[in-house]
Amino acid sequence: MQRALAASRGVRGRTSPNPWVGAVLVRGGRVVGTGATAPDGGPHAEARALAGGQRGGTLYVTLEPCAPFPGKRTQPCAEAIIEAGVERVVVALIDAEPRVQGRGVELLREAGVEVEVGDGAAEAAALLRPYLKQRETGRPYVIAKFAATLDGRIAAAGGDSQWITGEAARERAHEQRAWVDAILVGSGTALADDPALTARPGGAMAGRQPLRVVLDGRGRLSPEARLLGKPGRTLVATSHEADAGWKAALAEAGAQVVECEHDGAGLNLDQLLGALTERGVLSIWAEGGGAVLGSLFEGGHVDEAWAFLAPSVMGGDGVAAVGPAGVARAADAIRLRERTVELLGEDLLVRGYTGDWSPRVQ
Ligand code: AOF
Ligand code: ZN
């Protein structure tokens, strides 16, 4: 199962909206096949682990093998496993996809295959959090990220925000950009820094770029903005009232324009998250600015928080990393669960889970 989990980890984020799954076939005490899910629409992990044509054995798989359902694009794995004469299947997690959810295991058992569920469940669930949340709630998994001083400031009063944290912290952020489905920023950030918002792990442009999403209720983004360029695609979320000429100019520059309703101070984020789900987005890396992160926290949309903290203090003149989040009393502050702390060069990375959603298996 550890090898199956490693295979799954190796394709994390590259299979959306399908889950990243790993499978290992063992015969006579030897590994005779290993597979991970191919990019969306391609073969599943089990099909790849069985591709060698071996018969019999035990198959270890990080997610329940799929069962048939209308519209499915590949052969149901439960059927392929039965056809291959596999004797035993060890499954980490039951599939959260409502059209599968236990039916894969049922099919296998009906055909006389021995099935064991739960080995490696906690690790598989941690690895598949974006997929599990999206299938259970219909909304993507949101990771809020900020790089701030110890007192939570992301920019000086003048707006200058370069080089708060160091190289190692930036590299970690690029590794994250390289696996998520979307990066989300507010138009303020897009205007202040004119960032490219591409994933460049190890300094090299990643082959697969996340969808760039800009929240721009007021229609401020320039059609010349760098983030509208290649590689990758950009979606601009705005309001119905935004200027039609501006929307046309953005579309001309290659952006997808999505209109959401206004909701008090900003755009209706739940609507935007729903629209992103429809586009197959399982995971979102929200990079700020403060207003966007505050609204995401206030709406209860954030599942995980990553704070990169530099050993410096800017004081109250600086811009806060997280804007108003609806926290009135200290006791209501949003606390991180299952925290980890790492030292990255001179900086700290503190991360943990937030929000109401958790996988059923922990
Ligand atoms: C597995 N192994 O590696 C994955 C599974 O349209 P299809 O045929 O690609 O089926 C998509 C569904 O299959 C997806 O919603 C999820 O329930 C399951 N994913 N199942 O047995 C895999 N990726
Ligand atoms: Zn399958």
Side-chain angles (χ1 to χ4, degrees):
M1 187 58 81
Q2 287 305 319
R3 292 204 196 182
L5 285 164
S8 154
R9 211 169 282 125
V11 296
R12 177 172 67 150
R14 270 184 263 152
T15 64
S16 297
N18 266 2
W20 36 98
V21 178
V24 169
L25 182 65
V26 176
R27 271 197 88 199
R30 281 185 46 235
V31 171
V32 293
T34 302
T37 312
D40 186 39
H44 288 184
E46 299 90 321
R48 289 178 136 186
L50 295 169
Q54 301 276 344
R55 294 205 54 85
T58 296
L59 185 72
Y60 293 84
V61 56
T62 60
L63 187 74
E64 169 185 17
C66 58
F69 60 77
K72 212 176 164 309
R73 296 157 301 179
T74 66
Q75 185 196 11
C77 291
E79 286 174 19
I81 291 168
I82 295 165
E83 278 171 22
V86 172
E87 287 137 14
R88 187 167 157 256
V89 179
V90 183
V91 172
L93 271 188
I94 294 296
D95 193 349
E97 161 61 56
R99 297 172 296 181
V100 177
Q101 228 167 34
R103 288 179 49 242
V105 167
E106 235 170 70
L107 280 178
L108 291 169
R109 286 188 174 141
E110 279 164 16
V113 180
E114 189 189 330
V115 184
E116 209 182 287
V117 179
D119 179 22
E123 278 158 286
L127 189 56
L128 278 172
R129 283 174 76 97
Y131 169 75
L132 299 173
K133 184 198 175 188
Q134 191 273 329
R135 290 301 199 275
E136 285 176 22
T137 68
R139 292 292 177 268
Y141 187 82
V142 177
I143 307 170
K145 169 258 179 176
F146 54 86
T149 59
L150 280 182
D151 54 333
R153 304 289 151 176
I154 52 168
D160 133 63
S161 67
Q162 297 293 297
W163 320 124
I164 287 187
T165 48
E167 180 51 36
R170 277 200 298 280
E171 175 57 24
R172 277 301 283 279
H174 275 289
E175 286 166 12
Q176 285 291 104
R177 282 183 178 180
W179 78 264
V180 296
D181 293 329
I183 304 179
L184 175 69
V185 297
S187 57
T189 301
L191 289 176
D193 307 341
D194 194 20
L197 287 187
T198 48
R200 299 183 303 278
M205 194 65 77
R208 169 193 173 277
Q209 290 291 327
L211 175 69
R212 295 179 286 271
V213 179
V214 185
L215 269 179
D216 190 5
R218 284 171 285 174
R220 301 194 297 164
L221 188 69
S222 156
E224 313 270 289
R226 279 176 70 205
L227 55 76
L228 293 173
K230 290 201 166 22
R233 295 173 305 138
T234 304
L235 182 150
V236 179
T238 191
S239 69
H240 299 293
E241 296 94 58
D243 181 72
W246 172 78
K247 286 179 214 168
L250 284 189
E252 180 69 23
Q256 290 180 63
V257 179
V258 167
E259 297 181 11
C260 301
E261 256 135 54
H262 253 294
D263 177 12
L267 293 174
N268 183 320
L269 292 176
D270 190 56
Q271 249 180 34
L272 171 65
L273 295 174
L276 292 174
T277 287
E278 281 167 22
R279 287 167 171 76
V281 169
L282 299 182
S283 57
I284 298 175
W285 176 246
E287 298 205 7
V292 169
L293 294 184
S295 321
L296 284 168
F297 275 113
E298 180 161 22
H301 302 299
V302 180
D303 299 292
E304 196 172 316
W306 288 48
F308 294 97
L309 298 174
S312 61
V313 172
M314 205 180 274
D317 312 315
V319 179
V322 181
V327 175
R329 298 175 309 167
D332 297 335
I334 296 149
R335 288 191 71 83
L336 275 55
R337 307 186 298 272
E338 296 180 50
R339 293 158 299 269
T340 60
V341 180
E342 289 167 60
L343 199 56
L344 295 174
E346 295 187 345
D347 306 318
L348 277 178
L349 167 58
V350 181
R351 54 192 174 118
Y353 301 130
T354 62
D356 293 336
W357 181 86
S358 284
R360 294 196 186 109
V361 184
Q362 285 187 78

